[in-house]
């Protein structure tokens, strides 16, 4: 089972890194090592085991896309943030029934986010679960990303 989860994680990271990044305003970390992204058009799929939506930076500029996949048998979720300057990969366990705030680990990233570590909180409100189709992610980097 662990071997299967490890293979699923490796495949999901490879899939997320290859996803298209939308052009628009660049999301960047502040000098304090934080980043806030809002989500619009939020939906879950496959019985709630995955979610996706568009990410918008603080100035309302289009910043990228988000996808999440639940790892089979674990309840943990791998999340991919495809941003203008690169991608951020995170993992954690979402709250029960998808409601509430959860804390996730930053596993790493690509491009401007290469070597990123730290944590982030998430709150998702997908339309197919009765929400307003929005989300919020607040990152706290343990080390400052390149951008």
């Amino acid at each position: 089972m662990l071997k299967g989860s490890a293979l699923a994680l490796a495949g999901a990271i490879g899939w997320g890194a290859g996803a298209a990044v939308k052009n628009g305003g660049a999301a960047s970390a502040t000098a304090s090592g934080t980043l806030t992204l809002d989500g619009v058009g939020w939906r879950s799929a496959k019985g709630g085991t995955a979610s996706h939506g568009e990410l918008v930076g603080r100035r309302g500029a289009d910043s990228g896309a988000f996808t999440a996949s639940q790892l089979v048998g674990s309840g943990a979720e791998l999340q991919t943030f495809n941003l203008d300057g690169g991608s951020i990969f995170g993992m954690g366990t979402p709250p029960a029934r998808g409601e509430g705030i959860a804390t996730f680990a930053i596993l790493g990233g690509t491009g401007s986010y290469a070597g990123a570590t730290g944590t982030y909180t998430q709150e998702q409100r997908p339309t197919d679960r009765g929400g307003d189709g929005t989300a919020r992610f607040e990152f706290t980097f343990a080390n400052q990303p390149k951008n």
Side-chain angles (χ1 to χ4, degrees):
M1 177 121 149
L2 290 176
K3 184 177 179 182
S5 292
L7 289 173
L9 174 61
I13 289 173
W15 174 80
V21 176
K22 297 189 95 181
N23 292 326
S28 62
T30 65
S32 64
T34 63
L35 170 67
T36 298
L37 294 170
D38 290 313
V40 296
W42 228 254
R43 293 178 300 280
S44 58
K46 299 179 185 174
T49 61
S51 58
H52 55 94
E54 299 300 314
L55 295 169
V56 181
R58 284 206 159 172
R59 295 181 190 92
D62 215 10
S63 294
F66 169 90
T67 57
S69 297
Q70 191 174 58
L71 299 177
V72 177
S74 70
E77 211 173 71
L78 175 67
Q79 298 183 339
T80 304
F81 301 83
N82 291 308
L83 305 171
D84 293 333
S87 296
I88 300 172
F89 306 106
M91 181 177 274
T93 303
R97 295 173 295 194
E99 299 173 8
I101 298 173
T103 301
F104 282 63
I106 300 171
L107 299 177
T110 64
S112 297
Y113 302 99
T117 59
T119 62
Y120 64 96
T121 59
Q122 66 141 39
E123 185 170 10
Q124 298 183 40
R125 297 169 289 283
T127 55
D128 54 311
R129 291 190 184 178
D132 62 2
T134 63
R136 171 154 287 187
F137 300 91
E138 295 181 358
F139 294 83
T140 302
F141 295 99
N143 58 339
Q144 186 66 27
K146 296 177 190 177
N147 62 346

